[in-house]
Amino acid sequence: MKIYTKTGDKGTTALFGGTRVPKHHIRIESYGTVDELNAHIGLLKDQDINPHYKDVLSHIQDRLFTVGAILATDPEKAILKSGKERLNIPKISEENIERLEKEMDIMNDSLPPMTNFILPGGHQTVSFCHIARCVCRRAERLAAALNDLEPVEPSTLMYLNRLSDYLFVLARKLSSDLKANEIKWIPEKH
């Protein structure tokens, strides 16, 4: 299989189902940002962190490929003439969302309560996690904007929302595990 097809040389690309759209279409921006997020999670997973977090991040990467596939599917061509779904893979489930919630609850139980906003930083690994969180929030904003134009499966939006929360809690937990200084934001006084 060749990587280059030359079909995008004029600034368009094909959605799953064949519809061609401009490469700057919000649908492309949306799943492209999910792909960017997946790369940042790969970078985070490559750090020297607890193997359990690596397992969770691997599962998240799998789920993000599903999110990307959902976002890359033209809603008008999502159902085949046979009545079957074009995208024949497990969708984002309530269990996927609950797994993130459970992981957050476990991590939060071992962390001190938050009394201030937290500034990203303190350790390179923590910073990688915060970058992933920010990219996740952007992916969520783009998917929400797309949803205003063409409906997106609600579970997809929920997953991105919960994932950004998970990445925030994971950043705090990594700070604790790595004995890094969690930097509180204290506004300057007049």
Side-chain angles (χ1 to χ4, degrees):
M1 175 178 150
K2 286 188 177 184
I3 296 298
Y4 60 92
T5 62
K6 302 182 185 181
T7 57
D9 289 352
K10 294 184 180 173
T12 65
T13 192
L15 299 175
F16 192 46
T19 304
R20 294 205 69 80
V21 296
K23 289 188 176 187
H24 62 272
H25 190 282
I26 192 162
R27 184 170 290 284
I28 307 306
E29 287 289 337
S30 185
Y31 74 74
T33 304
V34 168
D35 187 35
E36 180 184 352
L37 170 59
N38 212 333
H40 282 290
I41 288 177
L43 177 62
L44 179 58
K45 193 175 75 175
D46 288 343
Q47 304 307 301
D48 185 18
I49 60 175
N50 183 309
H52 176 72
Y53 305 149
K54 289 183 182 219
D55 289 343
V56 173
L57 292 170
S58 290
H59 185 260
I60 288 168
Q61 286 188 297
D62 173 79
R63 299 292 67 218
L64 287 176
F65 259 87
T66 296
V67 168
I70 290 166
L71 294 172
T73 302
D74 180 350
E76 293 183 13
K77 297 188 177 176
I79 304 297
L80 300 170
K81 289 178 183 175
S82 66
K84 292 184 179 178
E85 290 187 25
R86 178 175 299 278
L87 199 56
N88 188 22
I89 59 174
K91 301 292 189 327
I92 298 300
S93 67
E94 190 175 314
E95 290 78 22
N96 297 146
I97 295 164
E98 288 171 355
R99 180 174 183 183
L100 292 176
E101 292 170 348
K102 178 182 169 202
E103 292 293 332
M104 281 187 278
D105 291 343
I106 291 168
M107 290 186 290
N108 259 330
D109 284 346
S110 69
L111 295 170
M114 270 185 43
T115 56
N116 294 79
F117 286 106
I118 307 293
L119 294 175
H123 191 283
Q124 184 174 356
T125 301
V126 174
S127 295
F128 288 149
C129 194
H130 279 292
I131 290 168
R133 174 187 56 80
C134 292
V135 173
C136 187
R137 283 286 186 214
R138 180 163 30 97
E140 180 188 6
R141 289 190 304 270
L142 287 166
L146 174 61
N147 188 55
D148 285 349
L149 302 173
E150 301 172 343
V152 172
E153 290 185 24
S155 61
T156 299
L157 295 172
M158 288 173 62
Y159 189 78
L160 289 172
N161 181 267
R162 214 65 89 251
L163 179 56
S164 60
D165 294 337
Y166 168 82
L167 291 167
F168 177 77
V169 177
L170 179 60
R172 289 198 71 217
K173 184 68 170 107
L174 290 171
S175 286
S176 175
D177 291 355
L178 296 165
K179 299 183 182 6
N181 186 26
E182 192 170 68
I183 307 162
K184 295 176 179 170
W185 178 63
I186 300 170
E188 292 180 0
K189 301 208 189 281
H190 291 297

